[in-house]
C-alpha cells in the first residue's frame, strides 16, 4: 500500500545493542536502573552541580522508597507532579512515581500563577513534590486540582501545614523507613511513564504522554550512537 501511494519507507538506523537488550514489553528505565544497581551499585550514576553525586544503588533505593510511599499514601498508578530543579532528589522521585505504576509529571520550576495552576489541574496529579524555595508558588494558587498531599524537599522545616487546603509534609519524613526494595515488577513498556507539558507557545500547555518504551529507546539511541 505504501509503495503504491509513493510514501517513503523509514531509513533510520537499526536498533543497537542497548536498545535491543530487553524485549519490548520489558523496556522500562525503572528496570534498567534496578539492573544497574545490582550489577554496579557503587558506581556513580548522576552528578548534580558538579559536586553532589548519586550512585546507582542509592538512586534505586530512594526510588523504591518513593514508590512505596506513593502506594501507601494514595495507591499505585497515581500521577506525581515534580516542582523541583536540578537536584539529588529529582530523578529518584521521577523513577519512584513510575515504579509505583504511575506517571511522573515534571513541572516548569519557573512557572507560576494561572499557568502553574492550570497544568497542575490538567495533570491529574494526586501528589506534588516541591522544592522548599518553590513552595511560595503554590501558596499563591487558588487550588491544586486533584493533589491530596504536598511533599517539601529541603528547607528548614518552617513550611505551612497546608497549601490551598492540601496537607504539606516534609519529603524526608515521608520516605523515611520505607522499604528500599522494589514494590513489584517494573511496569511494561507500553504503559504511561511520563506526562510532559509543552511550553504553550500556540495556546495553553498540553500534556504529552510518553510510554516507558519511548524513554527507554530514546536513552538507548544516545547510548548506541
Amino acid at each position: 500500500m505504501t509503495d503504491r501511494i509513493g510514501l517513503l519507507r523509514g531509513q533510520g538506523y537499526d536498533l543497537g545493542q542497548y536498545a535491543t537488550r530487553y524485549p519490548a514489553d520489558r523496556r522500562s528505565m525503572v528496570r534498567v536502573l534496578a539492573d544497574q544497581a545490582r550489577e554496579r551499585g557503587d558506581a556513580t550514576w548522576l552528578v548534580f552541580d558538579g559536586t553532589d553525586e548519586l550512585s546507582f544503588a542509592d538512586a534505586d533505593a530512594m526510588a523504591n522508597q518513593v514508590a512505596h510511599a506513593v502506594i501507601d499514601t494514595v495507591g499505585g498508578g497515581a500521577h506525581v507532579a515534580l516542582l523541583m530543579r536540578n537536584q539529588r532528589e529529582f530523578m529518584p522521585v521521577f523513577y519512584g512515581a513510575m515504579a509505583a505504576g504511575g506517571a511522573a509529571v515534571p513541572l516548569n520550576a519557573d512557572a507560576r500563577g494561572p499557568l502553574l495552576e492550570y497544568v497542575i489541574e490538567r495533570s491529574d496529579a494526586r501528589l506534588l513534590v516541591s522544592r522548599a524555595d518553590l513552595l511560595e508558588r503554590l501558596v499563591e494558587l487558588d487550588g491544586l486540582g486533584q493533589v491530596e498531599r504536598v511533599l517539601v524537599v529541603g528547607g528548614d522545616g518552617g513550611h505551612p501545614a497546608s497549601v490551598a487546603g492540601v496537607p504539606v509534609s516534609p519529603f524526608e519524613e515521608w520516605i523515611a523507613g520505607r522499604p528500599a526494595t522494589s514494590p513489584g515488577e517494573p511496569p511494561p513498556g507500553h504503559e504511561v511513564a511520563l506526562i510532559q507539558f509543552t511550553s504553550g507557545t500556540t495556546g495553553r500547555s498540553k500534556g504529552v504522554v510518553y510510554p516507558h518504551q519511548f524513554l527507554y529507546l530514546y536513552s538507548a539511541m544516545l547510548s548506541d550512537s
Side-chain angles (χ1 to χ4, degrees):
M1 180 64 178
T2 56
D3 290 335
R4 291 206 305 272
I5 62 177
L7 296 179
L8 297 176
R9 294 183 180 276
Q11 300 297 316
Y13 293 110
D14 292 334
L15 295 179
Q17 61 173 332
Y18 293 109
T20 56
R21 180 180 180 184
Y22 300 90
D25 63 337
R26 294 171 63 85
R27 289 174 182 167
S28 163
M29 294 308 294
V30 174
R31 186 183 300 278
V32 172
L33 176 59
D35 287 349
Q36 291 295 312
R38 282 191 292 269
E39 295 171 8
R40 49 202 294 257
D42 292 336
T44 299
W45 180 41
L46 297 171
V47 179
F48 301 91
D49 295 329
T51 57
D52 196 3
E53 297 184 357
L54 190 62
S55 69
F56 287 103
D58 288 343
D60 183 60
M62 189 186 297
N64 288 330
Q65 288 180 303
V66 170
H68 282 284
V70 170
I71 294 170
D72 292 344
T73 305
V74 295
H79 295 180
V80 180
L82 293 77
L83 186 61
M84 305 166 72
R85 296 194 185 276
N86 181 34
Q87 58 191 96
R88 191 174 190 272
E89 296 85 1
F90 187 96
M91 292 307 293
V93 174
F94 187 87
Y95 275 60
M98 298 187 288
V105 188
L107 305 174
N108 183 347
D110 291 321
R112 64 193 319 148
L115 172 60
L116 179 58
E117 187 170 339
Y118 173 79
V119 294
I120 291 174
E121 290 177 348
R122 294 291 294 176
S123 72
D124 290 332
R126 297 177 63 193
L127 294 171
L128 194 159
V129 182
S130 173
R131 182 179 168 111
D133 59 2
L134 297 177
L135 193 62
E136 63 180 22
R137 307 283 178 88
L138 303 180
V139 174
E140 299 170 353
L141 307 182
D142 293 329
L144 298 180
Q146 303 301 312
V147 174
E148 300 177 25
R149 182 80 63 87
V150 173
L151 293 315
V152 181
V153 178
D156 58 6
H159 54 72
S162 65
V163 173
V166 178
V168 176
S169 303
F171 172 79
E172 292 79 6
E173 293 182 10
W174 183 61
I175 66 170
R178 308 281 185 180
T181 55
S182 173
E185 185 71 10
H190 66 272
E191 290 191 356
V192 176
L194 167 68
I195 300 175
Q196 179 70 64
F197 279 88
T198 64
S199 60
T201 53
T202 58
R204 283 192 160 183
S205 297
K206 303 169 185 65
V208 182
V209 179
Y210 295 97
H212 287 276
Q213 185 172 199
F214 174 88
L215 301 182
Y216 173 92
L217 290 176
Y218 196 90
S219 299
M221 176 185 71
L222 297 177
S223 299
D224 283 325
S225 62

